[in-house]
Amino acid sequence: MIPKPKKSSSKPKRPTRDEYELEELGERLVEAKDEKSDVRLEVWNSEEDVIGCIVGLDSRTKLVHVSCNGDIIKVPFLDIMKVSNSS
């Protein structure tokens, strides 16, 4: 019998968070969108933070739309580790 090749998990796994943490994160995103304030998003597996104004929250695709220097950056909700003020 030939042994199955082992899967090499070269990609690190996203940290898991509980329901409370995700709900709090969502509330902060909605609040920032309603206030039209600039935020800094710490994104998992990304070298740089995303800084800009939240212009859309798509519940179907679970993407957060951030206006950053005239461009729209779409960040997956589950990849957002932290939301803070941009200042």
Side-chain angles (χ1 to χ4, degrees):
M1 188 162 138
I2 301 170
K4 290 183 182 177
K6 292 183 180 178
K7 290 183 182 177
S8 62
S9 59
S10 59
K11 197 164 97 170
K13 288 192 173 187
R14 179 189 306 124
T16 56
R17 290 161 300 166
D18 65 19
E19 221 174 283
Y20 174 75
E21 289 174 297
L22 293 174
E23 187 176 324
E24 189 175 306
L25 185 69
E27 288 172 4
R28 293 192 69 178
L29 292 170
V30 169
E31 187 178 303
K33 179 182 181 282
D34 291 345
E35 293 177 359
K36 295 178 175 50
S37 58
D38 282 357
V39 292
R40 175 185 301 269
L41 302 179
E42 195 176 295
V43 182
W44 174 77
N45 213 15
S46 175
E47 296 286 322
E48 294 182 24
D49 293 348
V50 176
I51 301 171
C53 183
I54 296 174
V55 293
L57 300 168
D58 192 332
S59 61
R60 187 177 56 82
T61 60
K62 295 181 177 64
L63 293 175
V64 177
H65 301 219
V66 182
S67 175
C68 181
N69 297 326
D71 294 331
I72 300 292
I73 299 171
K74 296 179 182 178
V75 182
F77 173 73
L78 289 175
D79 285 357
I80 298 172
M81 302 312 295
K82 186 177 175 186
V83 179
S84 57
N85 294 336
S86 66
S87 51

